[in-house]
Amino acid sequence: DASIPAKRVWVMDGGVGHQLRNERETNPTEDERETLVRVHLDFLRAGADVITTHSFVNTPAFPPSKQQRNQEQQITSIEGIEQTMTSAGQAAEQAAKRARRQGRTQPVLVAGSLPPTYSCYVPPTDPRDWKDMETYYQVAVKALLPYADLFLCETMPTSLQAIAAAEQACITATPAYVSFTLEDRKETDTPTLRGGETLQDAIATTLHRVPALKGILANCSAPESITGAMPVLAQMVGSRGLSFGGYGNGFWDTTSSWMKKEGHGPISQEGIAGGNALESLEMHRHRSDFDEAGIMMPQAYCKHVEQWVAEFGATMVGGCCGTGPMHIRAVRDCVDEHRRSTPGP
């Protein structure tokens, strides 16, 4: 059983997709698989305990590579999903094995990423999409199963999508976790999924439908929003003895602000009513916490992680979009310092 012990803090990796894009720009002639393996290894060397398969983009909404962008139909077929998911699982497994050969003695877990089947920021509303989701996750789970120590149903904008993924993952004996993406708001605002549900309602619905889940997290959101979600996660998830935590984005421009600029706007009625919350979040940020490219500095990011762990007891922490190995190294240092300063049982 590779489920995350709820009393230990496990460090997850960072934004694999963004790191992979940066590496490909630096080494455009390198074999695509080797570049991905190297990105996984960079996160392991930085101190990650868990590496996530690069399968988040392997959906009909997100073709997985330049070679397949002109062949999007491959991803909508069962064969295409199987092929891309298997390749992602093999790359993560290869990185884990290479790390062990190079002398790593700490545990390495591979999280099989099960993404939303549509855009993670503008979820589908047609009930007929449920059957499509069920079919997709059946195929994805089967393809990732030989490589995954756990399944991570991540960046879920609604409980509907989370349940569709988690139900298929929980059919297997492999531990499964759900992670919701939140509207980017101040810490004092009600934590709300991008699909409009409050986090509290989404957790209650998901755990009721899929009681076999091993934990619930928040990701692909501003760290401030995840901090605001921690009391709910601790009360509704941690109190059950389940793992909980978060892995946030590192960008100055939040996803919610980007969506508003693109004309999508907040989905929830509360978000519409409190429209100034998005601007307020960025108004309360300090430019000194970000580099010239608009990426949060590792130490600034870790101030949030430290609060998640020390104040709320989070047991799974890492980074999402815009966070690289330097962020994960800082997270690792933060977690290790917390362990040293916390009395043992």
Side-chain angles (χ1 to χ4, degrees), residues 146-168:
Y147 315 102
D149 296 302
L150 59 102
F151 283 112
L152 183 60
C153 313
E154 60 177 341
T155 321
M156 294 293 163
T158 65
S159 60
L160 178 73
Q161 288 242 316
I163 291 166
E167 283 185 335
Q168 296 305 315

Side-chain angles (χ1 to χ4, degrees), residues 106-340:
Q106 300 94 333
V108 177
L109 298 181
V110 173
S113 172
L114 298 175
T117 52
Y118 299 87
S119 170
C120 48
Y121 302 133
V122 186
T125 56
D126 190 334
R128 291 173 297 181
D129 292 327
W130 178 269
K131 187 62 180 177
D132 292 338
M133 288 190 281
E134 183 180 44
T135 300
Y136 171 82
Y137 290 125
Q138 286 174 345
V139 176
V141 165
K142 181 180 178 181
L144 287 172
L145 186 59
Y147 315 102
D149 296 302
L150 59 102
F151 283 112
L152 183 60
C153 313
E154 60 177 341
T155 321
M156 294 293 163
T158 65
S159 60
L160 178 73
Q161 288 242 316
I163 291 166
E167 283 185 335
Q168 296 305 315
C170 287
I171 290 174
T172 74
T174 301
Y177 301 76
V178 158
S179 189
F180 292 113
T181 180
L182 308 172
E183 290 183 0
D184 300 300
R185 300 181 174 191
K186 302 189 303 297
E187 298 173 16
T188 54
D189 292 330
T190 301
T192 304
L193 273 60
R194 296 196 191 278
E197 297 165 274
T198 65
L199 177 61
Q200 184 173 1
D201 287 346
I203 291 174
T205 301
T206 303
L207 288 179
H208 175 73
R209 288 284 300 274
V210 196
L213 281 172
K214 300 296 186 179
I216 295 182
L217 303 88
N219 80 295
C220 209
S221 313
E224 297 93 330
S225 299
I226 295 178
T227 300
M230 280 295 153
V232 176
L233 288 166
Q235 180 181 4
M236 298 189 68
V237 183
S239 64
R240 296 172 179 244
L242 302 177
S243 297
F244 72 97
Y247 48 114
N249 291 342
F251 300 123
W252 169 268
D253 291 322
T254 66
T255 300
S256 292
S257 292
W258 171 79
M259 288 176 63
K260 189 173 183 180
K261 292 174 184 176
E262 293 294 311
H264 297 300
I267 297 173
S268 69
Q269 290 301 312
E270 183 180 351
I272 294 171
N276 290 330
L278 307 182
E279 291 83 356
S280 297
L281 171 57
E282 288 159 348
M283 286 173 60
H284 281 80
R285 288 179 153 185
H286 301 286
R287 277 290 182 183
S288 59
D289 287 338
F290 295 79
D291 64 18
E292 293 181 355
I295 301 297
M296 186 176 287
M297 304 291 282
Q299 293 305 321
Y301 181 78
C302 276
K303 290 179 182 178
H304 298 283
V305 175
E306 183 177 10
Q307 188 175 1
W308 304 344
V309 173
E311 183 174 341
F312 299 105
T315 53
M316 296 176 70
V317 293
C320 201
C321 303
T323 62
M326 291 182 64
H327 294 84
I328 300 309
R329 167 49 59 191
V331 170
R332 173 86 267 168
D333 291 344
C334 171
V335 167
D336 288 347
E337 177 59 30
H338 173 74
R339 186 183 68 248
R340 286 190 295 267

